[in-house]
Amino acid sequence: MKLSCKLRILVMLAVTGLAVGVSAQAIPERRDPTLAASLEPLRSGVTEEHVFAEMASHNELRSASLLDYTALRTYQVVDPKGKVHAEESGRMEYHAPDKKTFIVTSEKGSGLIRHLALSPLIASEIEAASGKQHHDSSITPANYSLHLLGEQQVGPYRCFVAQADPKRLDKYLFEGRIWIDIQDFAIVRIEGHPAKKLSFWIERADFVREYQKIEEFWVPRRDETFVQVRLYGRKVLTIDHQDYTVNGTSNRLVLQTSAGSF
């Protein structure tokens, strides 16, 4: 439930924006067909406190159960017309409790953008996993207030929808909406922007993160970050997460029997 690495993407793009100019033409927002369903009333008996508590307990069980995974990652920086300025692909490997490695398999486009934005972004995620960067950005009562708005079908997942408001102005926190799976109390989708302005150069920043369920684990599926850079217009960074191989422990049985109470 941490987003500090996700928000650091925006900082990296501020640097990229200084190096490569792009048109001021707007990038059209991507319409997600999984959100076609309308927002429905919240079922009775659900409170913000209960949702927070269930999220924490289920997340702890999943974290304890996850042994390792590998996934194909593709990072792209794209201009407003859809042209790819830089791309880096490779295999991300995770081994419990805190080791990540990234093995590059292909690189395309601007070496400068890859050097200034993509490579530092990957390195920061690896450092965060090892605990070298201590920024508490988890979605907990210490950092956020939740306001439940209703329920919505997001693809195959039935979700609670909530407004998440940060309790302090912090560039590692966000303001926006979250979708929480009703059974697993896992984050399915986040839409938002940083709680605090990131830099002089970034006038606006919006991001969407989507998750997917692989066996009983919830892992990222796609990240999309739109940034308005002063003097250089808009840029978009995407990260696609594919071809997961996930291994867990015997805690799976606990997860299956402790799924949501609704």
Side-chain angles (χ1 to χ4, degrees):
M1 291 190 288
K2 293 187 177 181
L3 285 176
S4 58
C5 182
K6 174 62 186 166
L7 295 184
R8 281 196 296 275
I9 292 172
L10 309 179
V11 179
M12 300 302 178
L13 280 178
V15 178
T16 307
L18 296 179
V20 180
V22 299
S23 165
Q25 175 185 344
I27 300 173
E29 298 292 338
R30 186 171 62 90
R31 294 186 179 276
D32 192 335
T34 64
L35 291 180
S38 59
L39 193 64
E40 299 177 14
L42 189 70
R43 62 194 64 191
S44 61
V46 184
T47 66
E48 287 81 1
E49 292 77 10
H50 177 77
V51 171
F52 262 139
E54 291 287 352
M55 287 172 65
S57 62
H58 282 69
N59 189 59
E60 183 177 355
L61 286 170
R62 282 187 289 266
S63 296
S65 180
L66 183 59
L67 181 63
D68 61 65
Y69 70 77
T70 61
L72 175 64
R73 294 272 188 92
T74 301
Y75 299 78
Q76 289 186 334
V77 175
V78 183
D79 73 9
K81 296 182 179 180
K83 179 181 178 181
V84 177
H85 280 283
E87 178 181 295
E88 191 156 335
S89 297
R91 187 172 70 253
M92 181 66 77
E93 299 180 354
Y94 167 79
H95 299 279
D98 58 6
K99 184 179 179 180
K100 281 186 175 181
T101 57
F102 185 75
I103 301 170
V104 177
T105 57
S106 69
E107 296 176 312
K108 299 178 183 177
S110 169
L112 182 62
I113 295 178
R114 286 188 275 108
H115 174 71
L116 292 177
L118 299 185
S119 294
L121 170 61
I122 296 167
S124 70
E125 179 178 349
I126 292 171
E127 290 178 3
S130 66
K132 293 180 180 179
Q133 297 177 354
H134 303 285
H135 299 289
D136 182 13
S137 59
S138 55
I139 303 176
T140 64
N143 294 327
Y144 292 94
S145 297
L146 286 187
H147 175 58
L148 291 168
L149 303 174
E151 299 181 16
Q152 192 171 30
Q153 192 72 24
V154 182
Y157 311 119
R158 182 71 176 179
C159 298
F160 297 123
V161 184
Q163 175 69 27
D165 295 315
K167 291 189 173 180
R168 62 185 183 276
L169 295 178
D170 187 325
K171 66 183 180 180
Y172 293 103
L173 301 182
F174 73 94
E175 178 182 4
R177 283 192 178 189
I178 60 175
W179 285 256
I180 306 160
D181 183 81
I182 283 176
Q183 293 299 318
D184 290 358
F185 288 92
I187 300 294
V188 174
R189 180 183 177 93
I190 301 173
E191 292 183 1
H193 56 268
K196 183 179 180 181
K197 189 174 180 179
L198 296 172
S199 77
F200 169 80
W201 292 102
I202 296 182
E203 297 179 326
R204 177 74 182 178
D206 300 282
F207 70 88
V208 176
R209 165 167 274 200
E210 300 168 351
Y211 291 84
Q212 60 187 317
K213 188 175 183 180
I214 306 293
E215 297 183 20
E216 72 271 25
F217 299 105
W218 289 83
V219 292
R221 187 181 77 85
R222 180 177 172 85
D223 294 283
E224 204 166 43
T225 303
F226 300 91
V227 181
Q228 183 74 31
V229 182
R230 191 183 298 272
L231 302 180
Y232 291 102
R234 299 195 73 184
K235 299 183 73 68
V236 61
L237 172 98
T238 63
I239 308 174
D240 282 308
H241 313 252
Q242 300 175 332
D243 298 335
Y244 276 94
T245 300
V246 179
N247 296 307
T249 71
S250 58
N251 286 340
R252 294 179 180 185
L253 296 177
V254 177
L255 282 167
Q256 291 171 355
T257 58
S258 65
S261 56
F262 292 99

